[in-house]
Amino acid sequence: MQANLAKREPEMLERWVSQDIYGQIQKATAGRPKFWFVDGPPYANGDIHLGHAVNKTLKDMIVKAARLDGYDAAFVPGWDCHGLPIELQVEKKFGKVGPKDEGKIDAKTFREKCREYANEQVARQREGFKRLGVLADWERPYLTMRPSYEAEQLRVLARIIDNGHVVRGFKPVHWCLDCGSSLAEAEVEYQDKTSSAIDVKFAAADAADLAARFGVADATGAAFVIWTTTPWTLPANQAIAANAELDYALVDFANAGRVVIAAELVEATAKRWGDTGQVLATVKGAALEGARAQHPFAGRVVPLVLGEHVTLEAGTGLVHTAPAHGVEDYAVGRHYHLPVDNPVGGNGVFIAGTPLVAGLHVRKAEAPIIEALRERGALVHLATIKHSYPHCWRHKTPLIFRATPQWFISMDKEGLRQGALDAIAKTDWIPDWGESRIHDMIASRPDWCISRQRYWGVPLAIFIDRDTQELHPQAAELLRKIADKVETEGLEAWFGSTPADWGVDAAKYEKGTDTLDVWFDSGVAHQCVFKSMLPEALDADGLAPQADIYLEGSDQHRGWFHSSLLTSVAMRGRSPYKQVLTHGFTVDEQGRKMSKSLGNGIEPQEIMKTLGADVLRLWVASSDYSGEIVLSKTLLQRIAEAYRRIRNTARYLLGSFKDFDPATDLVAPEELVAVDAWAVAQAAALQAELKDAYGRREFHLVYHKLHNYCVNDLGGLYLDILKDRLYTLPKRSAARRSAQTALLHIAEGMVRWIAPILSYTADEIWRMLPGDRTVTVFAQPWYVFPDVPAATVDWAVLKAVREPVKKVLEELRVGGKIGSGLNAEVSLYAEGAPAAALGAVGGELRFWFITSGARIAPVCDKPDDAVAAELGEGQTVYIAAQASPHPKCERCWHQRADVGIDPAHPTLCARCVDNVFGSGESRSFI
């Protein structure tokens, strides 16, 4: 009863480890159909938190449930080990990579320190996951930094190159000034930012040309006005974009002078500027294509171009266009062959020769640019606005778009986008809204930049033509050659090599210096995990099977689900997964995200040290993960109480088997007492429901059905009425063995039902059950319940009457007339089907109500104070109860007229005399 989980679970875990329970499971389930699961890797940094606990527990439940379904389900846990967070931790301790003569750490040593740090973090997190009761191949996890994994990653890249998806581009990417590197889409989060919003004049370079376009006599002094919230990007401006379908007006403003802006925005712009203006003429945006404007300070003339991205949502309807600093700008720039001149270095400092701001950091360039515009009369309006802006998810600092030479996986060159969209449609998404979410992301995403400028990562092991900057024609073949050596010698086989070491002409080709995006690292787990850890799963072409399920938090539609999908489709034309399950994030009772600053966080370690891992697991199972997952200490106490209910039910079951040996005492299904056969049939029906709920990953339904079954069907009914038969009948009597048999069938089912959720408790129960238990519960399939005879009793009627009878008895108890139901006798007045159903069990009816007497009588005999119980369909049973006038049997506590009928045993009822000294009573129904 006192579980003491916090103390006993670690002891059980030690036994699991020492006996290699996971190995036993895999050995016992070998030969079954395969269930393929790929673990999305947590990042190897810091102790596990509540989100980790939810994630790994859900995964463990799914894998354990798959074994119930008869599968061989391996669980190879993994860790994401490369990337910037580990670099930052190592930099804190050893400094940044640089020349040794400056006292800095060299790149090779830096990578070694990163590897050491990652191994330390993996060891810490592994212990936390094991304590949760997650059974996995903890001694052979997959690590993205393991040479076998890194080598297969390069082979995957080779396949993607073979399929024509990798291209080079000089295009803008999200760039973190603090990371000093480009970022993947999944590394970008949007936060509010306050920015300077400026309206800037670009004087018309040819007033006569502009006048002709508007059909006016004179456009002297006219200017195009753009609006921007990124003044620092103006040095890179190469054009002004208009929308061909919008109307544009030549307006004469009282203060701003003669300007061109969108016609529909004239009134709003005048109000914003505090100015008044008169429209002189309007034309469609298409008429402005090719017009020329003078950059306000860069000394160059820029063209008017057309782009569909130009809208009337904000600004002036004319968009400042810097192809080096924006995706849409870059796209329109390619169409018009605009220069992609990036004046910002990787450190965020403007390069030499940049007008106004050379040598300044972009974060300090805004003020001098605005001041220069004001001095030149080009600043029309200055304001500040708060808007959503991309930030680095690690540093929480604003990003910039910066054009750099990068390597991309093209979304459209070889049809990757459409292939991915087709694969999404063939995947089962749980919840179903996940499909539209990732579909929209894939449909609109730009090419995937896979190159990073880091030290700690898998190298983009390519050779680039010094003149054309194109890939070596044998790039894929060389990658496979490099991969083979990396697998045996590690990454330094690449980093410490020269082109000549690979048979490449160094005069013509230079060695790539970038590393691969870490989302590529984890994204190719669908292939690398199997190749490095489960090679027997690969097909004749060396390709891994499609995973049955991927499971991660809801942020991974733009992260791991996303990168896994793209790499798999690019590599082999299909999704890496058949099913994707998404869970929400943990919040407190007020719906607030848990955080240290709010003081509302609850760590999994705290829960396991106080309540135990099984209570934590039960909370995970009870939660509807499709939305935010609520946790509080109050809720945990309720879950702990629910756990005690389930545990107490198991305790009752186990307590019934002390003298029961299934090999000799099991009762055949056709010989079971009717209520026992009914209970077995009910358990079998519940198992079918639980199997369905597990299959649909609806663990909260499993929890509710299990809890309800323990509290109501068992604790509130069946186990309650069995006490008399278990405690008062002869040990070896058929009726008592019938009850024990039914309870064993129920226990065999229940221990399996709870195993995926309450793993420690299930293991504890399993080892206490009678019979051979040498094969662990976690390798067992669903229990096969025996086929029992069809019910001869209408149990639905008996159940319907039982509750109102209990209420009548409770009124007697509250009134002080009885102490318990055994102090009472009940009379039931019924006709027709209810009377037949109640009468069918004869004299055993009292055991159903747990009273000392129960009789059936016609409705016409009911007393005036009889209580009506409506059974539905016009059927009514009337109930009356009274305290029994008979003496109490000291053995069974029933108050019966036949107590003392045997002079030799004056304190026993006739039934007990027979049970103790005779052949024992016979039971047919209850």
Side-chain angles (χ1 to χ4, degrees), residues 45-83:
N45 189 22
D47 293 325
I48 68 167
H49 52 66
L50 196 59
H52 285 132
V54 169
N55 182 267
K56 272 294 193 291
T57 301
L58 286 173
K59 290 173 178 176
D60 189 48
M61 290 178 190
I62 285 175
V63 173
K64 285 172 177 168
R67 296 191 188 110
L68 282 175
D69 285 335
Y71 288 98
D72 172 0
F75 190 157
V76 179
W79 274 272
D80 198 355
C81 304
H82 293 126

Side-chain angles (χ1 to χ4, degrees), residues 862-910:
K862 69 178 178 66
D864 293 339
D865 61 349
V867 176
E870 302 296 336
L871 305 186
E873 299 182 0
Q875 298 177 336
T876 305
V877 172
Y878 297 90
I879 304 164
Q882 63 181 22
S884 174
H886 304 300
K888 176 181 177 180
C889 172
E890 71 171 5
R891 182 170 180 273
C892 70
W893 293 9
H894 284 242
Q895 294 181 220
R896 303 289 293 175
D898 56 9
V899 171
I901 195 170
D902 186 336
H905 305 288
T907 60
L908 299 183
C909 66

Side-chain angles (χ1 to χ4, degrees), residues 33-38 62 66 71-73 427-428 430 530 545-551 576-581 697:
K34 299 287 188 179
F35 179 88
W36 296 123
F37 169 71
V38 177
I62 285 175
Y71 288 98
D72 172 0
T427 301
D428 178 25
I430 303 174
F530 289 101
Q546 190 175 33
D548 287 278
I549 188 171
Y550 268 35
L551 184 160
Y577 34 66
K578 298 175 184 176
Q579 186 180 74
V580 173
L581 185 150
R697 325 298 186 196

Side-chain angles (χ1 to χ4, degrees), residues 294-444:
Q294 182 69 47
H295 191 289
F297 58 78
R300 60 176 171 267
V301 174
V302 299
L304 266 289
V305 298
L306 301 177
E308 294 180 359
H309 65 289
V310 180
T311 68
L312 299 173
E313 291 181 9
T316 64
L318 292 173
V319 175
H320 146 55
T321 301
H325 295 313
V327 174
E328 291 168 330
D329 295 25
Y330 176 80
V332 76
R334 288 193 66 183
H335 179 73
Y336 284 96
H337 306 291
L338 299 176
V340 186
D341 289 340
N342 174 26
V344 181
N347 59 356
V349 174
F350 282 97
I351 63 176
T354 307
L356 293 179
V357 289
L360 285 180
H361 194 278
V362 292
R363 290 175 179 160
K364 296 181 179 180
E366 190 172 282
I369 288 174
I370 292 174
E371 183 57 32
L373 293 172
R374 181 181 285 112
E375 291 175 356
R376 288 166 170 77
L379 182 66
V380 181
H381 188 255
L382 169 65
T384 57
I385 66 164
K386 195 172 185 179
H387 60 140
S388 180
Y389 191 84
H391 285 65
C392 174
W393 74 334
R394 296 183 185 94
H395 294 97
K396 312 303 179 186
T397 50
L399 303 176
I400 65 172
F401 268 104
R402 175 175 176 268
T404 59
Q406 302 284 353
W407 290 93
F408 297 84
I409 290 181
S410 170
M411 292 300 297
D412 300 302
K413 181 173 178 283
E414 296 294 336
L416 177 57
R417 189 187 310 278
Q418 189 57 52
L421 294 175
D422 292 343
I424 289 169
K426 296 175 183 176
T427 301
D428 178 25
W429 298 89
I430 303 174
D432 56 9
W433 52 258
E435 179 175 357
S436 60
R437 187 175 188 206
I438 195 168
H439 178 282
D440 293 346
M441 290 177 174
I442 295 292
S444 61

Side-chain angles (χ1 to χ4, degrees), residues 179-262:
C179 297
S181 177
S182 58
L183 299 187
E185 290 293 321
E187 297 172 305
V188 178
E189 63 184 20
Y190 284 81
Q191 301 177 13
D192 284 344
K193 176 181 181 292
T194 299
S195 300
S196 295
I198 58 175
D199 295 81
V200 180
K201 285 184 180 182
F202 280 62
D206 189 335
D209 172 70
L210 184 62
R213 292 173 187 271
F214 274 99
V216 297
D218 184 23
T220 301
F224 302 93
V225 178
I226 62 93
W227 177 84
T228 182
T229 58
T230 55
W232 66 268
T233 62
L234 283 171
N237 175 275
Q238 298 293 340
I240 297 172
N243 189 310
E245 302 301 319
L246 297 180
D247 291 322
Y248 288 85
L250 179 63
V251 188
D252 199 357
F253 278 99
N255 298 321
R258 192 167 293 181
V259 301
V260 178
I261 59 174

